[in-house]
Amino acid sequence: MSYEDKKNDYLLGFASTQQVRSEQEQALPVNPLRHHNPYGVIMVDAAADISSAMAQHPRMRVLPLTIQLQGRTILDKGLHEKRGELRELGREHLRAAQIVPPSVEGLEYRLYPNIALNADWLIYMGSMRALSNPADALQTLLLQHREEIRELRRSRGLPPDLQVLCLDGGSMLAGPALQARVLVKKLDAGEPAAEVAHVATQLSVMTRQWLIPRHPGDLASALSKLSNPALEPWVQAASLGLNQLLNPYPVLVSDANGLFCGFRAKRWRSAVAEVFSIAEQAIQDGGVQGTQLQISYDGSIRELQAWPEFAQLRERADSMQVRLHVTHMSLAGRIWASTGSISLALLQPSIREGQAPV
């Protein structure tokens, strides 16, 4: 192996976090107003389908995930990989990849200690814990350095304790990203961080997500590796069988009732069109107050926006002044959901009240 090959492997490997100094969390100046209005920060994991602009928002942080791929261990930070080699990996490479929570040591360089100085409330909206639970590493990190964090905060005139809330968002991909978007908007509007934290605890039951895997067998294989019984409804729906041969494309649903298969279709685009139609009807029936939509797609956004079914959904959303966000799917999403897949998340207060159609 040449020197350049070794260098590239090193830069793409786990130690890459030690090389990119600009990605280290930097301590921000202390605003005296924080004594009256504690500063809230929202965190998602790298599997959340957030946009590049959202990832750079001052109130947003991304908790990395570890990806094991071709003998390498890579720290997926949720943004830069979308523009590099990892974003271009094809289906065959991703089928062999696995996602695991990061180690405490892997988080220390980027998140400690300045994340504890830049936030008074840290609200983590995680992907469903049946898939991965990186919150344990985050909480262990902060617990190990608790006394040092308290002393650092006191030295800067901040309240000694960092309030940390780690929640299971109950969904994946577009779901946690949409939940985080709602919380950031509330913080930007000046709502107290403690009240926003209370809202965060309710979002999982207001969120419904549809996932249409482009390669269901790949999704079944990826989720089977996790050996979690909670994922079994999706694994069974995506596995091979007689009904699957006749209608090979399952529409997988997650909501307050758990995980299940909504329906099946002969063609992938037919399944997508039906999901868009369901979301359109949900907007109509559930009301616009607090309603938001997000679509994430592992493909060309320009191509997606040219689909007639998308144009119809967007027209409905625009007519009712409902925000519709469109993003690329995360690298972790490509591994879990399979390449070319699409995810739609609907956040609607009426879902909690049982008014929207199932």
Side-chain angles (χ1 to χ4, degrees):
M1 181 181 287
S2 69
Y3 169 77
E4 284 300 321
D5 289 336
K6 290 180 179 179
K7 178 182 176 183
N8 289 338
D9 276 349
Y10 180 72
L11 291 177
L12 284 170
F14 185 80
S16 62
T17 53
Q18 301 295 323
Q19 302 296 313
V20 188
R21 297 288 172 181
S22 62
E23 291 182 355
Q24 184 179 11
E25 178 83 15
Q26 299 295 324
L28 301 176
V30 175
N31 184 343
L33 295 178
R34 282 175 61 175
H35 288 281
H36 307 289
N37 187 16
Y39 194 76
V41 169
I42 308 301
M43 178 177 282
V44 294
D45 53 58
D49 294 337
I50 61 173
S51 65
S52 297
M54 190 176 174
Q56 295 165 6
H57 192 285
R59 289 188 183 272
M60 277 296 305
R61 299 294 186 279
V62 178
L63 184 63
L65 291 173
T66 301
I67 296 178
Q68 296 174 346
L69 174 67
Q70 296 178 314
R72 294 182 295 177
T73 302
I74 302 164
L75 200 64
D76 175 19
K77 296 177 285 295
L79 179 61
H80 295 284
E81 284 79 2
K82 294 183 178 181
R83 301 174 180 171
E85 174 196 347
L86 299 177
R87 183 67 193 164
E88 303 302 322
L89 286 173
R91 179 186 173 195
E92 291 304 318
H93 288 99
L94 292 178
R95 288 173 68 180
Q98 287 187 281
I99 303 168
V100 296
S103 67
V104 174
E105 294 75 20
L107 296 180
E108 279 189 312
Y109 175 79
R110 297 190 68 241
L111 298 178
Y112 170 77
N114 293 324
I115 185 65
L117 298 177
N118 294 340
D120 302 310
W121 270 92
L122 181 61
I123 306 169
Y124 169 65
M125 293 301 300
S127 302
M128 63 177 75
R129 289 177 181 164
L131 295 166
S132 177
N133 187 18
D136 285 348
L138 172 64
Q139 290 174 305
T140 300
L141 167 67
L142 296 175
L143 182 62
Q144 287 179 350
H145 296 282
R146 183 173 181 271
E147 291 306 316
E148 192 171 355
I149 288 171
R150 287 171 62 91
E151 192 57 40
L152 282 169
R153 290 180 63 83
R154 284 196 193 96
S155 70
R156 303 196 76 196
L158 298 171
D161 289 317
L162 170 66
Q163 306 297 322
V164 181
L165 180 64
C166 293
L167 298 171
D168 181 351
S171 59
M172 61 192 291
L173 310 178
L178 187 56
Q179 293 166 348
R181 190 184 297 274
V182 169
L183 298 177
V184 166
K185 186 176 180 180
K186 287 181 175 293
L187 290 170
D188 281 347
E191 294 190 27
E195 292 183 15
V196 174
H198 176 68
V199 172
T201 64
Q202 303 173 359
L203 291 185
S204 63
V205 296
M206 300 182 192
T207 305
R208 181 179 299 134
Q209 176 179 300
W210 295 264
L211 173 62
I212 309 102
R214 191 67 180 85
H215 302 283
D218 292 0
L219 178 142
S221 176
L223 299 190
S224 293
K225 295 174 184 176
L226 302 177
S227 301
N228 193 317
L231 298 171
E232 195 60 25
W234 280 9
V235 173
Q236 289 298 322
S239 300
L240 293 178
L242 180 59
N243 190 34
Q244 285 86 332
L245 292 174
L246 298 175
N247 297 279
Y249 295 104
V251 172
L252 308 176
V253 185
S254 68
D255 62 16
N257 298 316
L259 309 183
F260 56 94
C261 178
F263 61 92
R264 309 188 68 87
K266 290 184 179 181
R267 296 177 178 83
W268 184 77
R269 277 287 293 276
S270 298
V272 172
E274 182 63 24
V275 167
F276 285 5
S277 178
I278 293 171
E280 185 181 343
Q281 189 64 47
I283 295 174
Q284 181 69 38
D285 296 344
V288 299
Q289 185 64 37
T291 297
Q292 293 204 46
L293 279 170
Q294 178 166 328
I295 297 172
S296 62
Y297 178 45
D298 184 39
S300 167
I301 298 298
R302 182 175 297 178
E303 173 190 308
L304 168 67
Q305 292 173 335
W307 295 353
E309 55 268 38
F310 175 84
Q312 184 173 333
L313 175 59
R314 181 172 57 186
E315 182 179 348
R316 171 66 69 182
D318 289 346
S319 68
M320 301 191 70
Q321 298 182 328
V322 169
R323 295 296 302 271
L324 170 58
H325 310 279
V326 183
T327 64
H328 284 104
M329 190 169 284
S330 64
L331 175 62
R334 302 183 73 213
I335 294 171
W336 279 330
S338 79
T339 57
S341 298
I342 195 165
S343 166
L344 184 148
L346 170 68
L347 196 152
Q348 198 170 38
S350 60
I351 293 176
R352 176 183 59 181
E353 298 161 7
Q355 297 172 3
V358 176

